[in-house]
Each structure stands twice: as structure tokens, then as C-alpha cells.
């Protein structure tokens, strides 16, 4: 018999493999291509080199992070528990001798890795297309900051959405409301209210990591290290809370067979 | 015999609906059949035993441990749920091996155990095909394979023969008997009573979330002997036969089913069958056929569940 780490890796690998195949994965891959296609469309209109170079980071901040990445992470994270409970297949894992926290952490790691398979290309390909199409070359800090922000978004949103999948039967709906109302509207409000959103810390991180261009100079941003800590912290806290929830959660659908 | 599962007044509600309603029963070592119609509460009991649901009231233990518990203890239990759903993107071999790895087996041992379990359920040749393309019967087999592969003491099989072809049923029934002979304890549910009757004499009957009878099948038959039995008689003279049978004090009721058939309810079927030939001879009556509705377990179950209403 092997230890919890081996079991954790097995659960994570299973979650990853299940997430990156099938029709859902094809749909997510197509969705992830959207920012790249938009930048390609902009490039086809032959704008100036600076305008073209500015379009990709701007799109990352306004479309890729808050919509494309958020939806991809939501779909994959919620699927880990809620879909499996509803499909009556989580039982094959939860009825075994593996600890329930191991299941939560393993699935979180697997779903995070799987989400990055879609989110990283969605974040970086537009930059590559803009450069290849004649846009002004980016400094190394731009793609690096974009990549790190994509990872941080996956870590933070992934933890929260995984928890939602454990906490509510309407996880997808609640997740969409969170993404499109909470994350979109609260940053528009004055004072410290924007600090209650994940996107605030993502923009803060980008602002601290990139010295010029559309990603820099986010008004009211907190320091880079604080932003980074908060984003990682959000992911960890929700994984811990999710582990506690799963210990007491009934993982069978609430019905008697017909 | 020691009880491997003990239930005392276990109640489980799904909102307003009662899945189990004060269910009390003991499941002995060896094979026990859990018999009841669809919606009786069989799957709810299995989900409680598998630690997937928590009882609202009552006490439920398996192998001396509370059913609502997780972790290492679960290694001693194998669970085959009723639902045919599986991780469709995996192959049969991959599924069983991965679940064994989740259970803590090393890569090598998981592969060996998986191969053995797949052979036992007759899926060796299809082990490398994706579960997505499996028939219902093959799904049942792979579900049983993942349930027995870690060599658990207690095996919970919820409707394991559902969707399996007749040849498969025979081989899986043989496998269950073989597992029992090897010292495993099995609880097997079914709504098809003859399946369980062929597998074991030890049964628990469930209806409306309650255990309505339990123990040896013959004891249950004794238990119902005090209850009226229904016997159908075909005769060209139903009125004459009814008049003659009406004189017997153990005959509870006589019903004219159609022009040539009577349905008699008697409290003493043995006396009825012993005296009927004499009656036919002395009264000069003709009886073309006698058919007891109590020939199989189905009738036993019907009697018991109706008796509780």
C-alpha cells in the first residue's frame, strides 16, 4: 500500500485526464481561441504597430481574464464534484479508503492543470499573433506577467469554483453570477469595494509586474506581493474549506432509484 | 452467526420523501439477499452503508463500524452502485487500476489485481476498450470488478444482475457464490426475486423503507403459513365447487374470476391440498387445474408487504 501523496497524484492525474478530453474539452478549446481570433482580426485591418501591440494586452485584461479564463476555470472546476455527484460517479472515489481532503486537493490540482492547458494559450497566443503580424515587440515582462496572471487567476478562481461545486447544486449558475455580476460590477464602484473582487488583485498584480503599456497603472492597485499573496490565499482557503465541506457532504444524489 | 451489518430504526428522508422509514435488520455472514420492489429503499440503504448518505435517525453499522465514516476503514468494503454511470472516457482496465491506486495499491499490485478482477468478471478481452462503448451488461461487470478488486471483507452489490444476459447472470451468480465460499460477505439487492432465491436462502425483505421480514427463506415461508394463501382453480362447474369449498372452515373467501375459474383464499394450504382430491371424488366435481400463487418468493413478498399495510 502506498501513501497519501501517491493517492493524491492518482486523483489529480485522473481529474486532469478527465478534463482535457471529450466534447467539453473541444468546446473549451474553441472558446479559448476567441482572443487570438480577435487579435488576428485586428491585425487584418493593418493598424499601426503600436496599436496592434497594445490590442493583445488590453484584450487580455478586458476579455481573456474576466470572461474567457473565468468561464473555462468555472466549467472545469465545478465539473470535479458537482457534475460527478449528479452523474452518480463520484461514489467510485468517495466510497474508497482515500481521505476526503486528498480527493479535494487532488481534484483541485488536476482541474487547475487542465484549466491552464486552455487558459495559457488563450492568454499568450494573442501576444504572439500581434507580434508576428507586425506589432511592436513586447518587453519580456509582458508575456511573463500575462502568464503569471493566468496562473494566478486559475489558482484563485479554481479554488473558489471547486468549493462552489461542493457547496451548492447550482454551482454553474452561482459561478456565472459571480463572474459576470460580482467581478464586473463591483470594480466600478468607488472606495474599497473593488478590493472585494478577485479581478482587482489580478489587475493589481499586472500593474505591478508591467512598467508600461495598457496593463500598467491600474488605479488604486495594491502592491504586487500583496496581490500575489491574496490570490494564492484565496485558492488555498477555498481548498481547505472545500475539504472540510466534503468531510460532511452526502455525495449521493438525494433520491431513491425508480 | 455474527451480523456484518446491523440496522436499528434507520430513517433517511429526501425532503418530504422517506427513503428509509425506521428500517431495522441484521445481515448475517455469507450472502444475504435484499429483496424489494423498485423504490422500496434498497439503494438508499446501500448508499448509507457505502458512506454516501448519512442517516437522519437510527443506528447503522457495518463490520462493527458506523456506516457514516470515511478513510481507511472503507478498504474493507466494496460497493457496486446501481447506476450504470461510469467514467466513460476510461478503459475498463484503466478504471479498475486507477481506483485501486486511489485505494493505495502500488502501480504493480494495482495492475495485477485489476487483471485478476477483470478475468473474474469475464472482461479480459474488452479491458482495453473505453467504458463508453460498453453494453449495460459489460458496465455491470466492470462495476463488480472495481468492487471486488481490492479484496474487501464486505461486498455491497446493488442490483448487480441488471442488464446482464442469461449466461452472464449464471457466471456472475457463480462468482458471488465463489466469493462467499472464499470468506467474503455479500449483500445483494434485487427486485427480481427468483434471482436472489437462486443465490441464497438468507434474505431481508424491504418495502416502503421498512424491513418486512428477514432470515432464512424457509423461516419466512413458515412465517406466512398463518396468512391466507391464494389458490386458483379451473373448473367447468365453479358454483358447485364453490358450494363444496365453502363448507371448509379454513377457506377464508371464494371469488369467481371468470366463467371457468375460482380464486380461493385459505388459511391452511396444506389441509386444502390434502383434502381437495377427496372432495372432488366424493362430490363428483371436475377440477382441471390448481395453481397456487404462492409457488415462488414473489408471492411470499406480496403477502408480507400487504400484511404491513
Amino acid at each position: 500500500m502506498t501513501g497519501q501523496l501517491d493517492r493524491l497524484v492518482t486523483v489529480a492525474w485522473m481529474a486532469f485526464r478527465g478534463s482535457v478530453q471529450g466534447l467539453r474539452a473541444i468546446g473549451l478549446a474553441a472558446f479559448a481561441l476567441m482572443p487570438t481570433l480577435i487579435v488576428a482580426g485586428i491585425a487584418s485591418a493593418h493598424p499601426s504597430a503600436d496599436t496592434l501591440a497594445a490590442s493583445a494586452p488590453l484584450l487580455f485584461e478586458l476579455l481573456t481574464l474576466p470572461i474567457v479564463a473565468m468561464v473555462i476555470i468555472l466549467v472545469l472546476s465545478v465539473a470535479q464534484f458537482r457534475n460527478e455527484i449528479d452523474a452518480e460517479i463520484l461514489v467510485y472515489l468517495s466510497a474508497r479508503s482515500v481521505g476526503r481532503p486528498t480527493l479535494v486537493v487532488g481534484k483541485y490540482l488536476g482541474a487547475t492543470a487542465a484549466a491552464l492547458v486552455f487558459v495559457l494559450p488563450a492568454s499568450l497566443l494573442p501576444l504572439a499573433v500581434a507580434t508576428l503580424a507586425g506589432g511592436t515587440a513586447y518587453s519580456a515582462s509582458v508575456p511573463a506577467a500575462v502568464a503569471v496572471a493566468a496562473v494566478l487567476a486559475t489558482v484563485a478562481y479554481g479554488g473558489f469554483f471547486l468549493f462552489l461545486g461542493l457547496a451548492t447544486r447550482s454551482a454553474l449558475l452561482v459561478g456565472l453570477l459571480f463572474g459576470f455580476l460580482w467581478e464586473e460590477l463591483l470594480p466600478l464602484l468607488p472606495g474599497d469595494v473593488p478590493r472585494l473582487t478577485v479581478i482587482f488583485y489580478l489587475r493589481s498584480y499586472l500593474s505591478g509586474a508591467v512598467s508600461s503599456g495598457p496593463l500598467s497603472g491600474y488605479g488604486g492597485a495594491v502592491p504586487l506581493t500583496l496581490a500575489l499573496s491574496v490570490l494564492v490565499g484565496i485558492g488555498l482557503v477555498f481548498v481547505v474549506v472545500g475539504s472540510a465541506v466534503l468531510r460532511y457532504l452526502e455525495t449521493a444524489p438525494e433520491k431513491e432509484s425508480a | 452467526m455474527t451480523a456484518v451489518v446491523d440496522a436499528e430504526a434507520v430513517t433517511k428522508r429526501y425532503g418530504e420523501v422517506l427513503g428509509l422509514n425506521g428500517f431495522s435488520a441484521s445481515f448475517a455472514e455469507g450472502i444475504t439477499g435484499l429483496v424489494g420492489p423498485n423504490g422500496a429503499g434498497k439503494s438508499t440503504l446501500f448508499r448509507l452503508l457505502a458512506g454516501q448518505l448519512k442517516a437522519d435517525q437510527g443506528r447503522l453499522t457495518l463490520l462493527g463500524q458506523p456506516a457514516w465514516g470515511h478513510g481507511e476503514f472503507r478498504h474493507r468494503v466494496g460497493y457496486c452502485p446501481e447506476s450504470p454511470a461510469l467514467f466513460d472516457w476510461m478503459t475498463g482496465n484503466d478504471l479498475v487500476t486507477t481506483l485501486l491506486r486511489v485505494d493505495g495499491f502500488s502501480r504493480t499490485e494495482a495492475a495485477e489485481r485489476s487483471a485478476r478482477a477483470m478475468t473474474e468478471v469475464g472482461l479480459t478481452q474488452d479491458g482495453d476498450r473505453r467504458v463508453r462503448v460498453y453494453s449495460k451488461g459489460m458496465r455491470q461487470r466492470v462495476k463488480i470488478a472495481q468492487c471486488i478488486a481490492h479484496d474487501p471483507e464486505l461486498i455491497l452489490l446493488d442490483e448487480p444482475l441488471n442488464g446482464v444476459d442469461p449466461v452472464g447472470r449464471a457466471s456472475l451468480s457463480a462468482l458471488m457464490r465463489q466469493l462467499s465460499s472464499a470468506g467474503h460477505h455479500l449483500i445483494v439487492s434485487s427486485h427480481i426475486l427468483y434471482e436472489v432465491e437462486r443465490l441464497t436462502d438468507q434474505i431481508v425483505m424491504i418495502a416502503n423503507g421498512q424491513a418486512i421480514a428477514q432470515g432464512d427463506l424457509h423461516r419466512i415461508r413458515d412465517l406466512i403459513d398463518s396468512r391466507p394463501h391464494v389458490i386458483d382453480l379451473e373448473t367447468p362447474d365453479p358454483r358447485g365447487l364453490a358450494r363444496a369449498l365453502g363448507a371448509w372452515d379454513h377457506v377464508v373467501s371464494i371469488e369467481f374470476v371468470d366463467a371457468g375459474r375460482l380464486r380461493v383464499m385459505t388459511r391452511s394450504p396444506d389441509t386444502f391440498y390434502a383434502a381437495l382430491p377427496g372432495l372432488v371424488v366424493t362430490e363428483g366435481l371436475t377440477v382441471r387445474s390448481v395453481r397456487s400463487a404462492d409457488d415462488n418468493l414473489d408471492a411470499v413478498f406480496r403477502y408480507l408487504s400487504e400484511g404491513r399495510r
Side-chain angles (χ1 to χ4, degrees):
Chain A
M1 303 286 279
T2 56
Q4 288 296 325
L5 182 63
D6 215 28
R7 298 178 187 211
L8 179 76
V9 171
T10 305
V11 173
W13 179 232
M14 188 180 178
F16 175 80
R17 287 189 297 155
S19 301
V20 295
Q21 56 188 304
L23 285 176
R24 182 183 61 199
I26 294 169
L28 291 179
F31 187 54
L33 271 178
M34 197 164 70
T36 307
L37 293 175
I38 292 173
V39 171
I42 293 170
S44 70
H46 306 294
S48 69
D50 285 347
T51 305
L52 183 57
S55 68
L58 200 62
L59 206 63
F60 175 71
E61 194 181 341
L62 298 177
L63 176 74
T64 310
L65 261 190
I67 296 176
V68 176
M70 199 273 298
V71 168
I72 290 170
I73 299 162
L74 172 66
V75 169
L76 291 178
S77 301
V78 164
Q80 298 307 315
F81 284 102
R82 183 47 50 194
N83 292 16
E84 290 189 4
I85 290 173
D86 292 342
E88 301 184 50
I89 55 175
L90 183 64
V91 60
Y92 291 104
L93 293 170
S94 59
R96 303 197 91 85
S97 61
V98 63
R100 292 198 166 190
T102 307
L103 278 186
V104 175
V105 177
K107 280 183 167 289
Y108 172 70
L109 293 175
T112 300
L116 287 173
V117 167
F118 303 101
V119 171
L120 279 176
S123 306
L124 294 172
L125 276 178
L127 299 177
V129 168
T131 308
L132 290 172
T136 310
Y138 298 108
S139 67
S141 67
V142 175
V146 165
V148 172
V151 173
L152 289 172
T154 309
V155 166
Y157 285 131
F160 178 61
F161 292 146
L162 192 88
F163 163 75
L164 274 188
L166 286 161
T168 169
R169 290 199 186 92
S170 310
L172 213 52
L173 179 67
V174 175
L176 286 171
L177 288 175
F178 168 81
F180 290 113
L181 293 179
W182 184 278
E183 289 288 277
E184 291 293 315
L185 295 183
L186 262 61
L188 304 177
L189 298 176
D192 286 337
V193 178
R195 290 175 184 238
L196 297 173
T197 64
V198 175
I199 198 75
F200 169 84
Y201 296 97
L202 287 169
R203 286 177 177 150
S204 290
Y205 169 77
L206 286 167
S207 180
V210 180
S211 54
S212 63
L215 296 179
S216 64
Y218 178 53
V222 293
L224 183 142
T225 47
L226 175 63
L228 200 144
S229 307
V230 169
L231 290 166
V232 173
I234 288 170
L236 291 180
V237 164
F238 279 109
V239 169
V240 171
V241 175
S243 299
V245 169
L246 188 62
R247 283 179 79 93
Y248 303 100
L249 186 73
E250 295 186 323
T251 50
E254 290 208 348
K255 62 177 183 190
E256 171 63 21
S257 302
Chain B
M1 275 207 258
T2 318
V4 291
V5 168
D6 252 319
E8 277 179 34
V10 177
T11 295
K12 178 64 193 172
R13 292 183 189 85
Y14 301 113
E16 296 296 309
V17 180
L18 273 171
L20 284 182
N21 183 14
F23 179 89
S24 294
S26 280
F27 294 74
E29 294 175 340
I31 306 179
T32 304
L34 179 65
V35 181
N38 287 331
K42 301 189 296 295
S43 291
T44 298
L45 179 63
F46 274 93
R47 286 168 184 158
L48 287 164
L49 289 172
Q52 305 305 298
L53 294 177
K54 187 179 182 189
D56 296 318
Q57 286 168 20
R59 196 177 68 87
L60 184 64
T61 60
L62 62 165
L63 302 171
Q65 302 279 337
W68 178 249
H70 315 301
E72 282 304 324
F73 152 70
R74 286 281 154 202
H75 190 70
R76 298 167 64 194
V77 182
Y79 175 44
C80 170
E82 184 193 8
S83 164
L86 284 160
F87 294 95
D88 281 353
W89 53 272
M90 300 177 100
T91 67
N93 283 336
D94 186 15
L95 175 67
V96 179
T97 308
T98 301
L99 293 179
L100 283 167
R101 298 272 294 139
V102 170
D103 233 342
F105 289 98
S106 69
R107 197 178 300 276
T108 315
E109 194 172 1
E112 284 170 6
R113 283 176 174 271
S114 169
R116 204 180 312 140
M118 292 295 271
T119 305
E120 281 178 332
V121 299
L123 267 185
T124 313
Q125 292 201 327
D126 297 299
D128 286 329
R129 295 172 70 196
R130 284 189 193 273
V131 172
R132 177 181 299 132
V133 300
Y134 278 14
S135 66
K136 196 173 178 193
M138 290 160 79
R139 283 172 177 265
Q140 290 290 56
R141 288 161 184 271
V142 80
K143 278 162 52 187
I144 294 173
Q146 65 79 30
C147 166
I148 63 173
H150 59 293
D151 205 21
E153 283 171 59
L154 175 61
I155 298 170
L156 307 169
L157 302 170
D158 196 357
E159 302 271 6
L161 301 178
N162 243 1
V164 182
D165 60 72
V167 178
R169 279 166 187 258
S171 67
L172 288 179
S173 296
L175 173 63
M176 289 180 219
R177 282 190 285 267
Q178 186 188 319
L179 287 164
S180 173
S181 304
H184 299 271
H185 312 300
L186 287 83
I187 300 177
V188 184
S189 78
S190 180
H191 64 280
I192 302 171
L193 303 173
Y194 77 92
E195 277 178 0
V196 175
E197 197 170 14
R198 286 176 179 184
L199 206 58
T200 180
D201 282 344
Q202 197 66 35
I203 56 173
V204 171
M205 290 185 154
I206 181 172
N208 301 318
Q210 295 179 317
I212 55 171
Q214 71 170 92
D216 185 279
L217 179 60
H218 305 297
R219 239 188 73 202
I220 288 171
R221 279 197 175 278
D222 291 344
L223 199 147
I224 66 157
D225 270 351
S226 57
R227 297 159 189 267
H229 284 223
V230 176
I231 299 168
D232 285 342
L233 301 155
E234 265 189 43
T235 173
D237 180 14
R239 289 191 179 280
L241 183 59
R243 202 176 308 117
L245 292 173
W248 292 357
D249 58 358
H250 55 81
V251 170
V252 178
S253 69
I254 300 172
E255 180 188 345
F256 292 89
V257 179
D258 53 43
R261 200 148 56 101
L262 279 183
R263 177 163 295 158
V264 179
M265 196 176 271
T266 171
R267 271 194 300 269
S268 178
D270 292 343
T271 313
F272 184 92
Y273 287 119
L276 186 63
L279 181 78
V280 168
V281 172
T282 54
E283 299 289 326
L285 296 164
T286 303
V287 176
R288 289 186 183 133
S289 75
V290 180
R291 193 176 63 83
S292 169
D294 303 314
D295 279 345
N296 58 34
L297 197 52
D298 206 358
V300 178
F301 171 76
R302 210 165 43 240
Y303 269 132
L304 291 172
S305 56
E306 282 170 4
R308 307 270 300 199
R309 283 177 196 157

